[in-house]
Amino acid sequence: MNATDTPLFDLHRHLEGSIRPQTAFELACQHGLPLPAADLPGFRRALTLDRPTPDILDILPRFGWLTQALVNLDACRRVTLECLEDAAAEGLGGVEVRFSPLFMAEPHHLDPLDVTAVVCEAWQESRSRLPLRSSLIVILSRTYGVEACEVELECALRYRDRGVIGLDLAGDEARHPA
């Protein structure tokens, strides 16, 4: 076996950050949501960070343009399937997809448990049709506070036998230490 035969694994793919710009743009237009540009090329430019940034908070508004497209559970399902399809199309041998049920639910007041359920269902569906090893990690969003992390922990625990294999403590570490 040589290096070119070794499968590649992505161990840190954010579902919310992997939403296809075209999908986010399409859903936003379909549901009359505000966008930073009137066309897809302009939207792609608005999502792009063109230089390194010292503060993670600089990227969060861009995540917001993507997550506003999660208007319902069908949209959450779609972006999960597309994320896994994209990983397979990239030729990866496997991917660990992390997501914050609360962050995904927040823009349109969805239930984080329902979001977790549909992400897990889409993950399960992808396993039967994609040549990709995959798993799910639930993010505990420290920025939202302890009570919110407890909600996300409940999501992870409830779905630990249906795709969720771990937890990620994420968010603004400087302003919200563990």
Side-chain angles (χ1 to χ4, degrees), residues 58-125:
D58 291 341
I59 67 167
L60 292 181
R62 289 162 176 82
F63 271 71
W65 292 117
L66 296 172
T67 57
Q68 78 163 346
L70 302 176
V71 295
N72 55 35
L73 296 176
D74 288 336
C76 295
R77 176 184 186 75
R78 175 180 173 180
V79 301
T80 303
L81 289 170
E82 289 177 352
C83 175
L84 293 162
E85 289 166 357
D86 291 348
E90 292 167 19
L92 294 175
V95 63
E96 286 184 349
V97 177
R98 60 197 64 235
F99 68 102
S100 165
L102 196 57
F103 190 62
M104 291 177 67
E106 184 179 44
H108 298 284
H109 310 289
L110 303 175
D111 182 322
L113 279 168
D114 291 342
V115 169
T116 306
V118 78
V119 167
C120 290
E121 289 166 11
W123 170 81
Q124 186 67 41
E125 179 184 328

Side-chain angles (χ1 to χ4, degrees), residues 7-36:
L8 298 176
F9 287 78
D10 182 343
L11 300 178
H12 196 108
R13 184 170 294 213
H14 285 262
L15 177 56
E16 303 91 324
S18 299
I19 297 172
R20 293 175 183 168
Q22 182 171 340
T23 297
F25 187 81
E26 178 185 311
L27 290 169
C29 289
Q30 181 182 350
H31 294 279
L33 302 173
L35 288 166

